[in-house]
Amino acid sequence: MDLSWSFAFHPPYNLGMNGQWFVLVGFRHSVVPGWGRSLWCLMFASLCMLFVRPGWAQTIATPETGVLIDVPSPLTGRDVDQILGRLSQIAVTSKRGDASDNGRTTVVLRLRESGSADQVAADRPSENKPTRDSNRAASTRATAFEDALKIARTISSADLKRVRVVAWVDGAVSGHDVLLPLASETILISSSGSIGDAGRFETQLDDTIGVLYQSIARRRALIPSELVDGLVDSGLEVAKVNLIDGESSFLSGDSLLADRADGRVASETTLANAGEPLVLDANQLRQIRAAAAVVDSVATVSDWLELKELQSDDPRSINQAVGRLVRVTGNITGSRVRRWQSNLAASIDSPDVNTWLVAIDSPGGNLNRSASLAASLADPGIAIQSVGGWVTGEARGDAALIALACQPLLMSPEATIGGSGADAMSADDVRRQSELIDMIAESTGRSAALIRGMLDPSISVHRYVHRRSGRVRYATSEQIRQESNEDAPSDWQRMEKVELATGLNAAQAIELGLAEATAESLQTAASSVGLNEVPPELSDRGLVRWVERLGGQTGLAMSLLVIGFMMLSIEASAPGLGLPGFISLVCFAFFFWIKYLAGTAEWAELLAFGLGLACIGIEIFVLPGFGIFGVGGLILTAIGVMLMSQTFVIPQNAYQLGELTRGLWVALGGLGGCVLGMILVRMYLPQAALATGLSMGVPEANLDESERLAHYDDLMGQTGEATTPLRPSGKARFGERIVPVVSDATAIDAGQSIRVIQVLGNRITVEAVD
């Protein structure tokens, strides 16, 4: 029978099953009746629907794009937050249907050996970066177990079911970084890659660590539990054994010893002897089917995972950088730190802000307050991807802790970090901040010993070189002794001492790994954290920022005091003039406001300053002369001015001594303005047309007779008796006459003998007769 077959391929039809498309293939046979052909077509279409993979058509049409994340090693707390934040964002995007057809996005975590050349090159922002990388590896040593466990639990949990996590072991992965491939859905490995010796940095292995390793490994079941024990505990012997009953398995520790003792082992291959770390290379991982493939390039990874593209992703750049600028200037006080922290917290609530840029120019002032702000910068939360810092002038004393909490940290070429500052910190004060210092060192990759040495000059920090590897680190002798075996000499050779007491310039800070690079402008600092332009400042009080900037101008405070005291002197010499007194009041108020915003003036200083001016006024207007009010007023005014220029009372370091000297010169300058005002009044005010009637010049002796109310010329030289106290004015008796008199600026009691020394019109001036 001649059979003539023809096939008809129909366009994809949406059959309404989860939105998937299917291709219906129909066929007909020339000899089959019409109803039979229809039946055969229906049966064949049903078979196609059973065997066609859901999403087949669209998967071919639009291949998936994966994300490649380079996992730094060692991991810091900030790295963990950034990676988890990126994975969380990818999971949310997948739920919205922005990923592939099956709703899952492939994320490849590339794990490389800590400090490898490729890693350094990839992370290097400038030519000074290699020193910083070596210091980071030396200071943090290895990934903390808690940090690795945090990532492992997340990527193996149901929270990321929309994300396909693949671990690409592209180097010798050791320490607790091993947890990441154990928790991944798929393991890929390069030909030179390996995993092992997970407990190498644990001085004393905790049983809890082994239990948690097994818990993570069971979620994926990629590596047998016996090998997981061997990866964690180097004291276990691990072997692959063939038993006499024909079974083949991996055994370790007591299980291996028990089967040997029972004679159940026919043959065995030792993978790691007791006391030797277990390291599984690419071939071994492939043999046990833990690694899915051996891949040596990004292109190979993309091909094996059937991805259209594998986009490299920096977890520090979850979104385009959108920043805010905060200026930490002047002295560190409680009120100013609370204002900065409040502004920073408000920026977190903004949905688009993910970067902070901190411009620092401060001598410090309070270690506890600086530590509080530094903690906010070192651990800002997942919403903030990067916290960059720029030291514009100085970050002395405790302000250095704020600067070192920023990563990256840039400095102006002439800037200074560290050294004595406005707060004289003791060794006990620094010791109480040990936990915070360790957290900052871990999150930024800087040396904790160097940070402590910058805060406490009594700590001696040396450069150490490893005798075998040549690795450089900065530590104290006590730290090296604690890490070394008492029965064996230390592997670290001590070199020169690092001088930290006087502070570091930009070049020295970069060499020690405390700063990343120099920056000439704020725009350069903003670019270092991925910002295209200088971000807006957090505080919107433009007038306050303007006054703070004016307060930083050299000589402005002294100029305000000189002008203020000069105008006060003019007002005292010509009462009622008004304008000099108003200018004096404005200058003094502006001087206090500047010092208050700078953090050096509080109400105690204002009280001393105001009380001193009040005493001087009493001495001028109420009790003329040079008595206790005049001397006390000058002393109180000088004390108020000096205290407004500093945050301490008695200097305890070189910086505070310099501040005391500058404050003293400011006070002397202000009092000099008072003297200058008196001279100007004597020289120019009597001749001024507008002030002729207000000048208190000496009356001429030949007053017009018509202006006199009485004639007292006959009393010149006569002796009499004071009938009232003269303070300085009062009354006195000359014979039978009682007349008003004025003393010669001395206090005269009632009943004391007096002599007339000057008669000017109606004014009789007397002196006491001893």
Side-chain angles (χ1 to χ4, degrees):
M1 181 175 55
D2 184 17
L3 299 179
S4 176
W5 296 88
S6 64
F7 293 85
F9 292 86
H10 297 272
Y13 291 94
N14 188 347
L15 300 185
M17 298 175 60
N18 298 324
Q20 304 299 327
W21 295 84
F22 299 91
V23 177
L24 296 184
V25 182
F27 67 93
R28 67 176 180 266
H29 182 257
S30 58
V31 297
V32 179
W35 63 269
R37 287 196 301 269
S38 300
L39 181 60
W40 281 106
C41 288
L42 181 60
M43 293 176 60
F44 189 80
S46 301
L47 291 175
C48 291
M49 293 175 61
L50 291 176
F51 291 102
V52 173
R53 181 170 63 92
W56 172 77
Q58 188 176 356
T59 303
I60 294 178
T62 57
E64 182 183 353
T65 299
V67 178
L68 174 63
I69 297 179
D70 283 305
V71 179
S73 180
L75 281 166
T76 64
R78 185 173 295 177
D79 294 331
V80 173
D81 291 339
Q82 290 167 349
I83 291 174
L84 293 182
R86 180 59 175 134
L87 292 174
S88 176
Q89 186 196 44
I90 294 174
V92 172
T93 303
S94 300
K95 290 179 180 179
R96 293 173 181 170
D98 298 333
S100 63
D101 278 353
N102 55 14
R104 302 189 73 198
T105 301
T106 300
V107 175
V108 179
L109 302 178
R110 177 158 58 179
L111 307 171
R112 292 186 285 187
E113 184 177 359
S114 176
S116 65
D118 292 340
Q119 182 74 19
V120 173
D123 295 339
R124 183 181 297 142
S126 68
E127 59 184 1
N128 299 308
K129 185 69 181 196
T131 301
R132 188 257 180 196
D133 280 332
S134 61
N135 291 332
R136 168 172 178 162
S139 60
T140 44
R141 291 184 47 135
T143 298
F145 173 69
E146 292 77 10
D147 291 335
L149 181 63
K150 189 175 181 180
I151 296 181
R153 280 175 167 168
T154 301
I155 64 179
S156 61
S157 66
D159 295 337
L160 293 182
K161 61 183 178 180
R162 297 278 183 176
V163 179
R164 177 191 181 191
V165 180
V166 178
W168 177 19
V169 181
D170 193 18
V173 176
S174 60
H176 293 304
D177 293 335
V178 173
L179 260 179
L180 273 62
L182 294 182
S184 300
E185 189 173 333
T186 305
I187 298 177
L188 302 178
I189 189 168
S190 64
S191 56
S192 60
S194 64
I195 63 173
D197 200 6
R200 60 178 298 192
F201 295 108
E202 294 291 337
T203 55
Q204 185 175 0
L205 191 62
D206 191 350
D207 293 339
T208 306
I209 294 178
V211 173
L212 292 174
Y213 263 85
Q214 289 288 358
S215 175
I216 295 297
R218 280 195 297 268
R219 297 184 183 184
R220 300 301 189 186
L222 297 177
I223 297 179
S225 60
E226 294 80 8
L227 293 183
V228 174
D229 289 335
L231 292 173
V232 178
D233 189 355
S234 60
L236 298 178
E237 182 181 4
V238 183
K240 181 180 180 181
V241 299
N242 296 316
L243 302 178
I244 57 176
D245 57 4
E247 292 185 9
S248 178
S249 63
F250 296 98
L251 295 177
S252 63
D254 295 338
S255 300
L256 178 60
L257 296 177
D259 284 1
R260 284 175 179 171
D262 295 340
R264 300 181 61 239
V265 177
S267 62
E268 64 179 87
T269 302
T270 301
L271 300 179
N273 294 316
E276 297 179 356
L278 174 61
V279 178
L280 301 176
D281 57 21
N283 293 330
Q284 292 171 320
L285 289 173
R286 285 290 292 146
Q287 290 174 1
I288 65 175
R289 298 182 180 180
V294 177
V295 291
D296 289 314
S297 65
V298 175
T300 309
V301 173
S302 300
D303 293 341
W304 195 91
L305 294 174
E306 299 180 358
L307 300 174
K308 176 184 178 182
E309 184 182 3
L310 190 58
Q311 296 179 347
S312 182
D313 185 271
D314 187 350
R316 294 169 295 183
S317 303
I318 296 177
N319 297 307
Q320 183 179 0
V322 178
R324 290 293 183 270
L325 172 65
V326 58
R327 295 184 182 272
V328 179
T329 57
N331 291 77
I332 305 298
T333 61
S335 59
R336 308 187 81 203
V337 169
R338 285 191 295 271
R339 173 161 60 92
W340 292 328
Q341 289 178 323
S342 175
N343 291 334
L344 291 172
S347 71
I348 296 179
D349 297 334
S350 179
D352 57 339
V353 175
N354 53 28
T355 303
W356 290 343
L357 182 59
V358 186
I360 306 165
D361 187 7
S362 170
N366 190 303
L367 177 58
N368 294 330
R369 300 302 182 184
S370 294
S372 176
L373 181 58
S376 301
L377 299 176
D379 187 17
I382 297 178
I384 302 301
Q385 303 171 21
S386 180
V387 179
W390 182 42
V391 181
T392 60
E394 61 180 6
R396 291 186 172 274
D398 50 282
L401 194 63
I402 299 175
L404 294 173
C406 302
Q407 175 69 10
L409 175 64
L410 286 77
M411 298 177 61
S412 296
E414 300 81 14
T416 301
I417 185 171
S420 58
D423 185 17
M425 299 170 290
S426 65
D428 292 336
D429 295 334
V430 177
R431 194 176 299 112
R432 281 191 287 269
Q433 303 296 336
S434 293
E435 185 176 351
L436 173 63
I437 293 173
D438 292 336
M439 184 190 75
I440 292 175
E442 180 181 354
S443 63
T444 61
R446 299 188 172 102
S447 169
L450 287 176
I451 298 177
R452 288 187 173 89
M454 297 189 73
L455 300 177
D456 183 6
S458 64
I459 298 177
S460 297
V461 183
H462 290 79
R463 184 171 69 95
Y464 285 86
V465 179
H466 199 272
R467 300 180 188 274
R468 294 193 299 272
S469 64
R471 185 160 60 93
V472 177
R473 66 179 298 190
Y474 298 96
T476 62
S477 301
E478 181 182 0
Q479 183 179 353
I480 296 297
R481 284 195 300 268
Q482 292 176 352
E483 296 175 359
S484 302
N485 190 346
E486 297 181 357
D487 300 330
S490 174
D491 292 332
W492 294 96
Q493 180 181 2
R494 192 173 78 172
M495 308 301 286
E496 72 278 1
K497 180 182 177 181
V498 182
E499 297 296 337
L500 301 171
T502 58
L504 304 171
N505 57 33
Q508 293 170 332
I510 293 172
E511 181 181 359
L512 296 175
L514 296 175
E516 276 61 53
T518 58
E520 296 282 354
S521 64
L522 190 57
Q523 176 62 55
T524 305
S527 300
S528 68
V529 290
L531 297 171
N532 297 326
E533 58 184 5
V534 177
E537 292 193 32
L538 284 173
S539 176
D540 58 352
R541 297 184 296 174
L543 180 60
V544 173
R545 295 199 305 270
W546 179 72
V547 174
E548 287 181 337
R549 285 195 294 269
L550 285 181
Q553 301 296 322
T554 304
L556 178 62
M558 181 179 290
S559 300
L560 288 173
L561 285 180
V562 170
I563 296 173
F565 278 108
M566 185 186 303
M567 294 296 105
L568 181 64
S569 176
I570 294 174
E571 183 68 27
S573 301
L577 194 59
L579 182 60
F582 177 76
I583 296 176
S584 174
L585 181 63
V586 172
C587 289
F588 291 146
F590 198 46
F591 173 79
F592 173 76
W593 193 20
I594 287 176
K595 295 301 181 182
Y596 178 78
L597 293 178
T600 57
E602 298 291 344
W603 294 110
E605 289 82 355
L606 178 62
L607 179 62
F609 185 74
L611 189 59
L613 293 178
C615 290
I616 294 176
I618 292 174
E619 187 71 19
I620 293 175
F621 298 108
V622 181
L623 300 175
F626 194 72
I628 185 64
F629 281 97
V631 176
L634 291 176
I635 294 176
L636 285 174
T637 302
I639 291 176
V641 171
M642 292 175 60
L643 291 179
M644 285 185 189
S645 303
Q646 60 195 36
T647 57
F648 53 89
V649 178
I650 300 176
Q652 300 181 18
N653 55 39
Y655 180 85
Q656 293 182 350
L657 184 61
E659 287 294 300
L660 179 64
T661 303
R662 284 188 287 271
L664 181 60
W665 280 110
V666 170
L668 292 177
L671 297 180
C674 185
V675 176
L676 181 60
M678 294 180 181
I679 296 175
L680 292 176
V681 168
R682 296 282 183 179
M683 293 178 60
Y684 300 107
L685 191 61
Q687 289 76 30
L690 295 177
T692 302
L694 298 173
S695 175
M696 298 181 67
V698 178
E700 297 181 359
N702 53 349
L703 293 173
D704 191 278
E705 295 292 331
S706 63
E707 295 180 358
R708 297 188 177 190
L709 300 178
H711 295 272
Y712 299 115
D713 292 342
D714 60 318
L715 296 180
M716 183 64 186
Q718 291 191 21
T719 301
E721 178 183 341
T723 58
T724 63
L726 304 184
R727 299 289 192 273
S729 62
K731 293 185 178 183
R733 180 191 301 275
F734 296 95
E736 299 297 329
R737 299 170 61 183
I738 299 178
V739 296
V741 296
V742 177
S743 69
D744 60 342
T746 59
I748 300 176
D749 296 330
Q752 190 172 350
S753 297
I754 58 174
R755 180 188 304 113
V756 178
I757 60 175
Q758 188 181 45
V759 178
L760 294 176
N762 298 328
R763 183 184 177 90
I764 304 173
T765 304
V766 299
E767 66 177 359
V769 177
D770 295 336

